[in-house]
Amino acid sequence: MASSEIAAILENTKELDRLRKDQEEVLLEINKLHKKLQSTPEVVEKPGDNSLARLKVLYTQAKDLSDSEANISNLLITQLDAILPPGPQGQPRRRIEGNEQRRKRVKTESDISRLTPSMRNQLEACASLKGEQVAARVTPRNAEKDEWFVVKVIHFDKETKEFEVLDEEPGDDEDSSGQRQYKLPMGNIIPFPKSNDPSSAPDFPPGKHVLAVYPGTTALYKATVVHGHRKRKTDDYVLEFDDDEEDGSLPQRTVPFHKVVPMPEGHRP
């Protein structure tokens, strides 16, 4: 075993340590920005604010560092394979498959552990929605029009970051004779405020566009907040729904606070 080979391995382990320290520093910066945006989301609307651009830069740095870490790790594995003695011939295939499965499992656990604390908390929050009703976009990303329904969460997969949800109301079309089940990414789901916890509900000012459950249905549509008389978070919203004209004007409809959610970015009504 050549000393130069050992030296090269040790050099790469130092580089791996440096990458991980850099990752920790970037993750700290990301977490600071997350807290800032969570406590004062309105800051991004101020002229000259670069919080979102800074967040994108930090995410890019985190991804690059993660890719570099993977490359160095693979290089170390190759270097170690080159100097370790070969294993015995005729090694059982089942053992190899078992190791492969174990590597996959370790990789999954490692991927989750390397997430920022904020993302880990988000995954836990998604998993805790099991059994809850949420707002879900059931149409694909390339659809001409977004359709949002009230659905029930059956399961959340932390590895694929997908929700399994159930639309408990049968559709209006002839082919829809019962409940429908969907697998949806995290971006297609918006949790409702809890009816027994008004503090979880955002406070939408008059003129704000929102997504709300149309009275008497389980579908959500774009609406505008028209009254600011709400003195408590438990008070209902008075809304005007788009395309809801009656006799040439938009009727004002009352919707419970826990059936109103923020308007998704890029919504196609």
Side-chain angles (χ1 to χ4, degrees), residues 116-161:
T116 66
S118 176
M119 180 57 79
R120 283 201 298 271
N121 291 340
Q122 188 177 357
L123 292 179
E124 291 299 332
C126 288
S128 71
L129 291 172
K130 183 177 180 179
E132 300 279 343
Q133 285 191 330
V134 297
R137 188 184 77 213
V138 299
T139 44
R141 186 180 296 274
N142 59 355
E144 293 183 3
K145 180 179 178 181
D146 291 339
E147 291 185 0
W148 288 80
F149 296 137
V150 178
V151 299
K152 181 179 180 180
V153 176
I154 300 173
H155 176 67
F156 176 71
D157 189 321
K158 291 182 182 178
E159 184 178 347
T160 63
K161 299 180 179 63

Side-chain angles (χ1 to χ4, degrees), residues 69-81:
E69 181 189 357
N71 290 336
I72 294 292
S73 297
N74 288 333
L75 178 58
L76 280 166
I77 291 171
T78 302
Q79 289 174 320
L80 289 167
D81 282 343

Side-chain angles (χ1 to χ4, degrees), residues 17-165:
D17 289 338
R18 185 191 66 78
L19 287 169
R20 285 176 177 166
K21 287 177 182 176
D22 290 347
Q23 280 179 308
E24 289 174 2
E25 291 176 3
V26 171
L27 293 181
L28 282 174
E29 290 298 317
I30 289 175
N31 288 336
K32 287 178 185 177
L33 261 180
H34 282 174
K35 288 178 181 178
K36 175 185 174 182
L37 294 175
Q38 287 169 357
S39 60
T40 55
E42 67 278 2
V43 73
V44 299
E45 298 178 3
K46 293 182 180 179
D49 181 79
N50 67 343
S51 298
L52 296 181
R54 175 64 179 156
L55 194 59
K56 181 180 178 181
V57 170
L58 289 170
Y59 280 141
T60 302
Q61 289 177 350
K63 180 183 180 300
D64 290 343
L65 287 168
S66 180
D67 290 343
S68 297
E69 181 189 357
N71 290 336
I72 294 292
S73 297
N74 288 333
L75 178 58
L76 280 166
I77 291 171
T78 302
Q79 289 174 320
L80 289 167
D81 282 343
I83 61 176
L84 286 172
Q89 296 297 317
Q91 192 175 21
R93 179 173 173 80
R94 188 175 59 171
R95 174 69 179 276
I96 297 172
E97 290 173 345
N99 287 340
E100 179 66 24
Q101 290 300 319
R102 184 154 53 249
R103 280 196 293 271
K104 288 180 180 177
R105 185 170 65 250
V106 169
K107 181 181 183 300
T108 299
E109 292 169 354
S110 175
D111 287 347
I112 292 174
S113 67
R114 285 196 300 182
L115 294 171
T116 66
S118 176
M119 180 57 79
R120 283 201 298 271
N121 291 340
Q122 188 177 357
L123 292 179
E124 291 299 332
C126 288
S128 71
L129 291 172
K130 183 177 180 179
E132 300 279 343
Q133 285 191 330
V134 297
R137 188 184 77 213
V138 299
T139 44
R141 186 180 296 274
N142 59 355
E144 293 183 3
K145 180 179 178 181
D146 291 339
E147 291 185 0
W148 288 80
F149 296 137
V150 178
V151 299
K152 181 179 180 180
V153 176
I154 300 173
H155 176 67
F156 176 71
D157 189 321
K158 291 182 182 178
E159 184 178 347
T160 63
K161 299 180 179 63
E162 282 188 330
F163 282 91
E164 190 175 340
V165 300

Side-chain angles (χ1 to χ4, degrees), residues 169-204:
E169 293 293 325
D172 296 330
D173 54 296
E174 294 179 1
D175 296 333
S176 184
S177 56
Q179 301 175 335
R180 287 185 176 181
Q181 208 161 307
Y182 300 92
K183 280 192 175 182
L184 302 171
M186 292 169 62
N188 285 37
I189 301 293
I190 303 177
F192 286 117
K194 295 186 181 299
S195 59
N196 59 353
D197 181 17
S199 65
S200 65
D203 197 11
F204 301 111

